[in-house]
Amino acid sequence: MKRLTTKQREILAYIARFMRKTGYPPTVREIGKHFGIAASSVFDHLKALEAKGALKKTEGKSRSLVVAKNTEDPEKRTALLGSTFRDDDTVKTIQIPLLGRVAAGLPMLAEENIEEMVTLPRQWVRAGKIFALRVQGDSMTGDGIYDGDCAIVRMQSEADNGDIVVAMLEDEATVKRFYKRGRSICLHAANEKYEDIISRNVKILGKVVGLFRNYA
Amino acid sequence: MKRLTTKQREILAYIARFMRKTGYPPTVREIGKHFGIAASSVFDHLKALEAKGALKKTEGKSRSLVVAKNTEDPEKRTALLGSTFRDDDTVKTIQIPLLGRVAAGLPMLAEENIEEMVTLPRQWVRAGKIFALRVQGDSMTGDGIYDGDCAIVRMQSEADNGDIVVAMLEDEATVKRFYKRGRSICLHAANEKYEDIISRNVKILGKVVGLFRNYA
DNA sequence: TTGACAACCTAACAAATGTTAGGTATATTT
DNA sequence: AAATATACCTAACATTTGTTAGGTTGTCAA
């Protein structure tokens, strides 16, 4: 599956959210109204999403949008490595919300921010309140965190020097490196394009404890 | 909830079935076509079903049918956001071998190469034979793949230009970018320290389809 | 026998909806 | 410099779709 643009991902997330909330998919115009764009613009996005395999729809039918699951055809996957694959109910998994663009004002875990629920083997995360965050922008490419990556975050309001944290910045959640500077806090981007942010009024949302990336 | 007639139950069942199959609810006329009755007749049934509390719909909106679940407890969902996680045994997972340093001579998936078995939500990988590989060295830092990262790889012996692949090189599996150069193959490291490797004798083991990283 | 209900019908309307056509503007890539 | 991709627009068209109005027929209880 080809890489999605930010806007495409936002629209896909909205469809999934709408679906979860109402029980049926939105119309082209309903999507458009939410984003403040015309129906035809939405239609363009839907075509792009379909071309990239992220969405399925039936021509001419209203609300026929289905967000493609990566688990597409269940038959094929039984072929996984022959014996090394199995269903396993002994393995504990957790369901955590994957947050997209975190909207200002809302509580972080509000429905609006949730792109989807992802399953994680408990194996991979330690105790704590865990959520995932879709990384926006290229401010951490120097540390190997790219736009579209899925950061796994443990909620905590404090951090140690050098930790990669999720912080509320300019009404949006961003991923940065954390350093104490006396009474202030320094948020450092691993990309020369961005300057350090030094402030006393930064809210730490959590610490990045893992990262997942999906290649096409 | 009042008792449903046979016909009403049939229609309700059809809606649920349609939903499960397509991912979105049917229209009045689609239901009608299935039962060989007129749209307005279906509409009567829908009104009855709604009056009896078995169905919810939004006036004027297409496909806005939602089968009411009597077993549903709305609390669970909100509780999920509060506690941020829960156990879920319904989610399918797969077990894949995590390979460490792949020793020369041995079949790739030989016991000797397996570091451990890791659990992956099936959600995250498409069909194919999947294994994980612990990345060695810094030859791909420019693409955000670091030493110690866990690459998720789909076995395949061919690749497209630009793919990140796992290839057998100097008796060891390495991660590189793949390019065709006529009859030769070019393996490109995303790190200036390393030079391109151009050869006709490169064995492709698979394509990197995902990446997992764990921060301390 | 009257009245409520279920289960259908035809015909039609207005609104909702997917879709197309033909743009503009701005990047990025070749 | 040309080509491609993204992200929007207005305007219009043709269906699709929910809904209403006004029927018919049959069943069942009061």
Side-chain angles (χ1 to χ4, degrees):
Chain A
M1 186 163 74
K2 272 189 185 167
R3 194 165 177 70
L4 303 182
T5 67
T6 305
K7 201 55 184 271
Q8 286 164 5
R9 236 189 340 259
E10 278 176 5
I11 286 179
L12 197 66
Y14 178 71
I15 295 170
R17 215 183 320 145
F18 189 104
M19 189 72 206
R20 214 176 321 128
K21 218 169 177 176
T22 66
Y24 51 87
T27 65
V28 176
R29 281 172 179 81
E30 280 166 349
I31 300 170
K33 197 176 173 189
H34 179 262
F35 288 97
I37 61 179
S40 60
S41 303
V42 175
F43 195 71
D44 284 346
H45 288 303
L46 298 186
K47 274 189 290 187
L49 283 167
E50 198 181 18
K52 291 180 180 177
L55 186 75
K56 272 183 72 173
K57 67 192 197 65
T58 310
E59 187 182 305
K61 296 206 158 187
S62 66
R63 299 182 193 275
S64 65
L65 309 176
V66 181
V67 176
K69 289 177 192 162
N70 284 359
T71 57
E72 33 174 42
D73 53 351
E75 321 226 26
K76 263 185 193 163
R77 29 193 57 261
T78 38
L80 276 170
L81 276 189
S83 62
T84 59
F85 156 84
R86 62 165 183 194
D87 292 84
D88 195 338
D89 0 44
T90 67
V91 178
K92 293 275 184 235
T93 57
I94 57 176
Q95 294 261 112
I96 64 175
L98 170 58
L99 310 185
R101 191 177 288 274
V102 173
L106 291 169
M108 186 175 49
L109 295 175
E111 185 80 18
E112 271 74 23
N113 297 329
I114 298 181
E115 211 169 279
E116 59 178 313
M117 299 296 289
V118 299
T119 307
L120 227 63
R122 183 82 61 89
Q123 202 182 8
W124 285 11
V125 281
R126 291 168 187 263
K129 302 205 169 190
I130 307 290
F131 65 93
L133 177 75
R134 180 79 66 184
V135 174
Q136 307 273 353
D138 57 356
S139 72
M140 288 299 279
T141 52
D143 276 339
I145 301 177
Y146 286 69
D147 183 71
D149 284 0
C150 170
I152 292 154
V153 187
R154 183 177 53 232
M155 286 174 88
Q156 55 187 62
S157 53
E158 292 178 22
D160 296 325
N161 268 338
D163 280 358
I164 298 176
V165 298
V166 176
M168 215 53 201
L169 213 71
E170 285 161 19
D171 289 347
E172 216 176 86
T174 46
V175 177
K176 293 278 182 301
R177 263 195 198 275
F178 173 93
Y179 296 99
K180 264 177 204 150
R181 284 270 195 282
R183 275 201 190 78
S184 290
I185 279 169
C186 169
L187 294 177
H188 175 68
N191 186 335
E192 302 111 13
K193 290 203 314 196
Y194 300 89
E195 286 182 9
D196 289 0
I197 289 130
I198 297 166
S199 163
R200 254 166 299 119
N201 233 332
V202 173
K203 186 164 192 214
I204 304 296
L205 300 178
K207 176 186 170 179
V208 175
V209 296
L211 185 89
F212 185 75
R213 176 147 71 228
N214 212 299
Y215 292 100
Chain B
M1 187 161 74
K2 273 186 186 173
R3 190 167 178 72
L4 305 181
T5 68
T6 307
K7 200 56 183 271
Q8 285 164 6
R9 216 170 12 238
E10 277 176 6
I11 286 180
L12 197 66
Y14 177 69
I15 295 171
R17 209 173 334 133
F18 190 102
M19 187 73 206
R20 218 174 320 126
K21 217 168 174 177
T22 66
Y24 50 88
T27 66
V28 175
R29 282 172 178 81
E30 280 165 351
I31 300 170
K33 197 175 175 190
H34 179 261
F35 288 98
I37 61 179
S40 59
S41 304
V42 175
F43 195 71
D44 285 346
H45 285 121
L46 297 185
K47 274 190 290 188
L49 282 166
E50 198 181 16
K52 291 181 179 177
L55 187 74
K56 271 183 71 174
K57 66 190 198 62
T58 310
E59 186 181 306
K61 295 206 159 189
S62 66
R63 299 183 193 273
S64 65
L65 309 176
V66 181
V67 176
K69 294 178 193 167
N70 15 9
T71 52
E72 171 158 50
D73 48 347
E75 319 240 3
K76 244 185 197 169
R77 185 178 275 192
T78 37
L80 181 85
L81 295 179
S83 63
T84 68
F85 78 91
R86 63 162 183 195
D87 293 85
D88 194 336
D89 1 45
T90 65
V91 178
K92 295 273 185 255
T93 56
I94 56 175
Q95 296 263 112
I96 64 174
L98 170 57
L99 309 184
R101 192 176 288 274
V102 174
L106 291 169
M108 186 176 49
L109 294 173
E111 191 72 27
E112 275 76 15
N113 296 329
I114 297 181
E115 208 170 281
E116 60 177 310
M117 297 296 286
V118 299
T119 307
L120 226 61
R122 212 186 273 190
Q123 199 182 10
W124 286 14
V125 279
R126 289 172 181 258
K129 304 206 170 192
I130 307 289
F131 65 94
L133 178 74
R134 180 80 64 187
V135 174
Q136 309 272 350
D138 58 355
S139 72
M140 288 299 280
T141 52
D143 276 339
I145 301 177
Y146 286 69
D147 184 71
D149 284 0
C150 171
I152 292 155
V153 186
R154 183 178 53 231
M155 287 175 86
Q156 56 186 62
S157 54
E158 292 179 20
D160 295 325
N161 269 338
D163 280 358
I164 298 176
V165 298
V166 176
M168 214 55 201
L169 215 70
E170 286 160 19
D171 289 346
E172 214 176 85
T174 48
V175 178
K176 293 279 182 301
R177 262 192 199 276
F178 173 94
Y179 296 98
K180 262 175 206 150
R181 284 271 194 281
R183 275 202 191 75
S184 290
I185 279 169
C186 169
L187 294 176
H188 174 70
N191 186 334
E192 301 112 15
K193 290 202 314 195
Y194 301 89
E195 286 182 9
D196 288 1
I197 291 129
I198 296 168
S199 162
R200 252 166 300 118
N201 234 331
V202 173
K203 186 165 189 210
I204 304 296
L205 300 179
K207 175 185 171 179
V208 175
V209 295
L211 186 89
F212 186 75
R213 178 147 71 226
N214 214 298
Y215 292 98

